[in-house]
Amino acid sequence: SSEVLEAIENVIEDVLKSLAQKKAPVLTLANRSGWRNIEFKDSVGLQMIPHCTTKQIRSDCPRSAPKFALMLKILSMIYKMVQTNTYATKRDIYYSDTLLFRSQSVVDNIINDISCMLKIPRRSLHILSTTKGFVAGNLSYTEEDGTKVNCTCGATAVTVPSNVQGIKNLISHAKFMLIVEKDATFQRLLDDDFCNKLSPCIMITGRGVPDLNTRLLVRKLWDTFQIPIFTLMDADPHGVEIMCIYKYGSVSMSFEAHHLTVPSIKWLGLLPSDLQRLNIRKDVLIPFTKQDQNKLASIQKRPYIACQPMWKKELEIMAASKLKAEIQVLTSLSSDYLSRVYLPNKLQFGGWL
């Protein structure tokens, strides 16, 4: 915590120095939004380059002055929380003054900028992310406050802990981990007792685009157990994008890639080639929108696709057909096809990329 306080004090000192010299204070931030500042490394995923381009948040410019003020406001809140050893969620910060912050996304963005500027992970700034992910299966652990958690598959899942770094005594006999894109599919597999039927496993869902805690948990489980990790996503550009976030990270959080990515993750399904292989009827598939086409084109240009020839092929099949499918499309074959046939066959015969 002394490191965090010192980092914030250095920022404020620079502001005071500028004022003393009758200059307008400036905050310098790494440019987090562009691919220019990102390099792709097989072993890490997307990470920020050491000497990346920066942008200045000036206090004397009408366009950036409000952001400058908000950054100082949130820095002072963080400073107080670290001093008093208290924590807040991003929502707590927004609701402390909704008129000032105007929207939750403004707060989220500033917190990421501050984390990147100070080179300190969000957790150390005493800011908790709200968790939306679930975990189930062959796993038990102890939370930071001593609460023992057992995820062993019942029909209910456990919420991903809000302090992943603080969990300890992780125990599991799982043979693999399955990341499921959507909550509905995750619940369906729970109902079918999938975690126990085939061989013990751990199932996780971020319920769409994963939050920080879900990504931290996937990484922590990988570091602890080193078991294969598979993803089960919709066969559409959005599903592929979500899988890439788990595997390679995202541009906006690339400064934290070392704690968040698991490059060994495998694409189990739903593969575009599966739709042809299983003779899925055309009338249950969904035509691409213009947005889908643009998203797929942008994914195909990303640096990590070049080193994944099999993925490249699958994306070409998707682009050529201009059709997408949700995992639920398998129910057109039979109601429990996913848990009874599709997943067991894939896992047994190595049907992943």
Side-chain angles (χ1 to χ4, degrees):
S1 60
S2 59
E3 186 193 326
V4 180
L5 296 176
E6 195 183 322
I8 295 173
E9 284 160 11
N10 290 341
V11 171
I12 302 305
E13 220 170 90
D14 288 345
V15 169
L16 293 174
K17 269 185 200 154
S18 299
L19 290 171
Q21 294 165 356
K22 305 257 187 301
K23 289 182 188 162
V26 164
L27 295 174
T28 305
L29 305 179
N31 223 329
R32 287 190 303 116
S33 57
W35 280 89
R36 275 191 325 220
N37 282 333
I38 304 297
E39 62 179 356
F40 169 65
K41 253 199 175 154
D42 250 359
S43 58
V44 182
L46 301 176
Q47 60 175 11
M48 203 166 253
I49 57 175
H51 308 291
C52 59
T53 60
T54 55
K55 57 180 179 184
Q56 291 193 324
I57 309 295
R58 301 189 61 85
S59 58
D60 60 349
C61 160
R63 265 188 46 212
S64 63
K67 181 164 182 175
F68 181 91
L70 290 179
M71 286 189 75
L72 290 192
K73 165 80 174 165
I74 291 179
L75 276 169
S76 78
M77 293 170 86
I78 291 169
Y79 194 84
K80 256 188 208 140
M81 290 193 299
V82 175
Q83 272 185 323
T84 56
N85 198 25
T86 52
Y87 288 82
T89 64
K90 294 184 297 183
R91 283 186 79 71
D92 295 334
I93 291 173
Y94 168 58
Y95 280 111
S96 70
D97 197 334
T98 51
L99 284 174
L100 176 69
F101 294 122
R102 295 195 317 281
S103 81
Q104 182 69 58
S105 61
V106 168
V107 172
D108 296 356
N109 205 13
I110 286 176
I111 287 167
N112 284 344
D113 278 338
I114 287 173
S115 175
C116 185
M117 176 175 76
L118 301 178
K119 296 189 170 48
I120 290 170
R122 203 190 297 174
R123 170 81 205 171
S124 305
L125 302 176
H126 284 231
I127 293 167
L128 302 171
S129 308
T130 34
T131 293
K132 63 184 178 107
F134 288 132
V135 58
N138 195 297
L139 174 68
S140 62
Y141 56 84
T142 308
E143 287 196 348
E144 193 179 31
D145 63 2
T147 311
K148 287 186 164 53
V149 178
N150 189 356
C151 307
T152 306
C153 236
T156 53
V158 172
T159 309
V160 167
S162 60
N163 174 14
V164 174
Q165 280 97 326
I167 66 175
K168 48 191 185 291
N169 306 334
L170 288 92
I171 299 166
S172 176
H173 304 292
K175 297 283 180 277
F176 64 92
M177 204 153 95
L178 183 67
I179 300 171
V180 183
E181 178 186 349
K182 284 189 180 146
D183 192 28
T185 310
F186 180 84
Q187 294 298 340
R188 178 69 215 241
L189 289 171
L190 266 186
D191 294 342
D192 290 349
D193 197 23
F194 176 75
C195 299
N196 300 316
K197 268 188 185 151
L198 198 62
S199 59
C201 73
I202 299 168
M203 279 201 321
I204 289 186
T205 180
R207 298 162 76 194
V209 176
D211 58 277
L212 197 67
N213 292 328
T214 304
R215 291 175 62 190
L216 283 167
L217 182 62
V218 169
R219 175 58 195 250
K220 183 156 192 134
L221 293 172
W222 161 248
D223 286 339
T224 310
F225 301 118
Q226 301 275 312
I227 51 177
I229 304 179
F230 302 108
T231 58
L232 181 61
M233 306 279 150
D234 288 341
D236 66 9
H238 190 61
V240 174
E241 171 111 279
I242 289 170
M243 172 173 57
C244 292
I245 290 173
Y246 282 109
K247 188 174 169 79
Y248 296 124
S250 59
V251 171
S252 65
M253 293 297 287
S254 56
F255 63 96
E256 272 204 63
H258 289 271
H259 319 289
L260 292 172
T261 59
V262 185
S264 62
I265 283 173
K266 303 278 185 276
W267 186 5
L268 188 71
L270 191 61
L271 303 177
S273 59
D274 288 340
L275 304 176
Q276 300 172 339
R277 186 174 59 81
L278 298 170
N279 283 325
I280 302 286
R281 298 195 322 269
K282 282 275 187 347
D283 63 325
V284 294
L285 301 177
I286 308 159
F288 260 27
T289 62
K290 187 82 189 104
Q291 208 179 357
D292 290 326
Q293 270 171 302
N294 295 342
K295 165 117 30 218
L296 182 57
S298 98
I299 292 171
Q300 286 175 303
K301 288 194 198 94
R302 288 183 195 170
Y304 43 69
I305 298 299
C307 69
Q308 291 278 6
M310 303 297 282
W311 282 34
K312 209 170 160 211
K313 243 185 218 155
E314 292 293 331
L315 298 184
E316 281 162 7
I317 293 172
M318 199 190 285
S321 74
K322 292 194 171 63
L323 293 168
K324 57 183 182 176
E326 297 186 327
I327 299 160
Q328 285 84 338
V329 81
L330 296 175
T331 56
S332 69
L333 300 171
S334 78
S335 64
D336 58 352
Y337 192 85
L338 176 66
S339 60
R340 188 176 51 84
V341 183
Y342 183 82
L343 289 175
N345 282 350
K346 282 252 167 180
L347 291 160
Q348 195 181 343
F349 301 114
W352 57 78
L353 306 177

